[in-house]
């Protein structure tokens, strides 16, 4: 008879956690993280914390630190089903740094958290590759992160991602509601697609109700459904910083969950009202596809999805031409979508009027 002492002992590996696979993943991701380094970056990947040289802030008269954190929601389910993992990281960076830039803050550094059911080193490295490439597009350093293996909580092929970033803005250049004035123009910056919001609705309509495969070619989209749904979120941070440095900008609004009206209302001051004219743009086909196929009422669609607008700038009318020219030079489609007026009794902070063009 085998005694208790002769029985194999429990181990972390037997419980489903592979430390060696985690170490391999770290080695594979190092080259991508290195591409994100800024002059202020200190140390290398593998420490217990990320380091950033704060002496650079001495150049500011009154530096304000800004922080933001976010994830990408159920868009990760699309990446997992398609087994494509090197784009979801850009979505993560965009969702975080584009919140920072709303107040005029320059993103400085970012950390990530990747939770997996089972560590597949190449997959984790692909996710980090996307995060690193996003950080390069945002101009911020990826100074560290964490990969956690949670067997039994997540399936072997499942994972989720989250991230946090820190930025800095000069106190006297802080953007926001207090700068907005009646007569200001509302300038819309085009989204690259669905971005990373509303995927629970999109998946419910297109994958469950219609039963479409992600590999299905969709003529209206000009590509497969999966390719459309994995289109990375546009990163606006460097474009918004360039715009704020070259012309007068009063406020930005990042259009995420809650839609255009809901997010623009977050930066509208008491007493002022923003009227946005739908006829100034045509939403990309995917939005109509979800709305029509799912018989989703327009108000529900507009408070769930961005409808083709990923960022809004509020600025003086005399700054519009310069702003549109600069954004065009930087490859960001933009247009005047509305204006700010005095708010009268019964007005919401933001209203959408008219019908979409096309």
């Amino acid at each position: 008879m085998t005694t208790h002492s002769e029985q194999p002992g429990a181990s972390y590996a037997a419980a489903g956690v592979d430390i060696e696979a985690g170490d391999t993943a770290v080695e594979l991701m190092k080259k991508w993280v290195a591409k994100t380094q800024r002059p202020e970056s200190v140390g290398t990947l593998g420490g217990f914390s990320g380091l950033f040289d704060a002496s650079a802030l001495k150049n500011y008269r009154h530096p304000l630190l800004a922080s933001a954190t976010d994830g990408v929601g159920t868009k990760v389910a699309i990446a997992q089903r398609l087994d494509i993992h090197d784009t979801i990281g850009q979505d993560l960076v965009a969702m975080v740094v584009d919140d920072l830039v709303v107040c005029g803050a320059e993103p400085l550094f970012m950390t990530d958290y990747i939770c997996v059911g089972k560590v597949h080193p190449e997959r984790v490295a692909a996710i980090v590759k996307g995060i690193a490439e996003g950080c390069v597009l945002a101009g911020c350093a990826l100074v560290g992160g964490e990969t956690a293996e949670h067997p039994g909580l997540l399936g072997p092929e499942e994972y989720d991602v989250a991230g946090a970033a820190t930025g800095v803005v000069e106190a006297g250049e802080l953007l926001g509601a207090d700068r907005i004035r009646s007569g200001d123009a509302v300038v819309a910056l085009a989204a690259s697609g669905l971005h990373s919001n509303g995927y629970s609705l999109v998946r419910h309509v297109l994958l469950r109700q219609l039963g479409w495969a992600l590999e299905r070619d969709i003529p209206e989209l000009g590509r497969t459904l999966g390719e459309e749904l994995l289109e990375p979120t546009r990163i606006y941070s460097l474009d918004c910083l360039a715009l704020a440095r070259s012309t007068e900008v009063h406020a930005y609004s990042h259009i995420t969950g809650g839609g255009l009206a809901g997010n623009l209302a977050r930066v509208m001051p008491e007493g002022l009202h923003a009227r946005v004219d739908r006829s100034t743009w045509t939403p990309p086909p995917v939005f109509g596809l979800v709305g029509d196929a799912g018989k989703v009422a327009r108000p529900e669609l507009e408070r769930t999805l961005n409808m083709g607008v990923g960022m809004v700038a509020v600025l003086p009318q005399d700054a519009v031409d310069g702003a549109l020219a600069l954004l065009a030079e930087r490859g960001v489609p933009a247009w005047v979508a509305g204006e700010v007026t005095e708010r009268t009794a019964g007005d919401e902070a933001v209203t959408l009027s008219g019908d979409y063009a096309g």
Side-chain angles (χ1 to χ4, degrees):
M1 184 176 73
T2 303
T3 66
H4 178 75
S5 61
E6 293 172 331
Q7 293 175 354
S11 68
Y12 217 10
V17 177
D18 190 337
I19 293 176
E20 291 184 358
D23 292 341
T24 300
V26 171
E27 289 302 314
L28 291 174
M29 69 178 70
K30 280 184 176 179
K31 67 176 181 179
W32 299 110
V33 175
K35 295 178 183 293
T36 75
Q37 300 307 284
R38 290 172 49 124
E40 305 93 340
S41 301
V42 178
T44 58
L45 189 69
F48 286 90
S49 62
L51 299 174
F52 191 88
D53 186 356
S55 65
L57 303 184
K58 292 179 180 178
N59 296 325
Y60 287 79
R61 296 183 299 277
H62 185 176
L64 297 179
L65 293 180
S67 66
T69 185
D70 211 338
V72 300
T74 61
K75 190 171 185 175
V76 296
I78 306 299
Q80 290 161 22
R81 287 182 59 171
L82 289 174
D83 197 24
I84 297 174
H85 311 284
D86 61 352
T87 62
I88 206 76
Q90 179 174 327
D91 294 295
L92 177 62
V93 175
M95 297 304 291
V96 175
V97 301
D98 287 339
D99 275 355
L100 284 181
V101 82
V102 163
C103 71
E106 175 190 359
L108 297 176
F109 57 87
M110 183 167 179
T111 56
D112 62 61
Y113 177 76
I114 304 171
C115 182
V116 303
K118 178 179 175 57
V119 171
H120 301 282
E122 292 78 12
R123 179 179 301 170
V124 173
I127 296 170
V128 174
K129 172 180 179 285
I131 296 172
E133 290 174 339
C135 284
V136 171
L137 292 174
C140 70
L142 181 60
V143 298
E146 175 72 10
T147 300
E149 195 169 21
H150 289 179
L153 182 63
L154 296 174
E157 307 304 315
E158 294 179 329
Y159 62 82
D160 199 8
V161 296
T166 297
V168 62
V169 58
E170 190 71 69
E173 298 172 4
L174 187 68
L175 304 180
D178 61 312
R179 290 177 176 256
I180 296 177
R181 299 290 182 267
S182 180
D184 280 354
V186 175
V187 173
L189 282 63
S192 57
L194 291 165
H195 284 186
S196 298
N197 293 104
Y199 271 74
S200 294
L201 173 64
V202 172
R203 289 166 52 241
H204 175 73
V205 170
L206 302 182
L207 304 185
R208 295 196 191 108
Q209 285 190 345
L210 295 185
W212 286 357
L214 292 173
E215 296 77 14
R216 180 188 179 112
D217 282 307
I218 309 296
E220 299 96 317
L221 304 178
R223 53 181 171 176
T224 67
L225 179 61
E227 289 169 334
E228 179 71 30
L229 298 189
L230 267 195
E231 180 66 37
T233 305
R234 175 170 268 143
I235 295 176
Y236 299 93
S237 58
L238 292 182
D239 304 308
C240 288
L241 290 171
L243 184 59
R245 289 165 181 161
S246 68
T247 191
E248 184 178 357
V249 175
H250 289 162
Y252 288 117
S253 177
H254 186 197
I255 311 306
T256 56
L260 177 52
N263 283 284
L264 184 53
R266 295 168 66 180
V267 298
M268 289 303 299
E270 289 291 332
L272 293 182
H273 164 79
R275 184 187 64 81
V276 177
D277 184 357
R278 297 185 185 94
S279 70
T280 60
W281 82 97
T282 302
V286 67
F287 298 98
L289 193 67
V290 173
D292 294 342
K295 297 181 174 57
V296 183
R298 188 160 72 179
E300 179 69 14
L301 204 64
E302 291 179 336
R303 65 171 171 250
T304 305
L305 306 178
N306 67 56
M307 302 305 291
V309 178
M311 182 73 76
V312 166
V314 182
L315 39 76
Q317 292 285 351
D318 60 10
V320 167
D321 290 345
L324 295 179
L326 182 143
L327 291 169
E329 289 173 6
R330 299 182 65 87
V332 182
W335 63 94
V336 176
E339 62 179 342
V340 176
T341 61
E342 298 290 339
R343 194 185 308 190
T344 58
D347 277 344
E348 300 287 340
V350 179
T351 58
L352 304 182
S353 63
D355 292 319
Y356 294 111

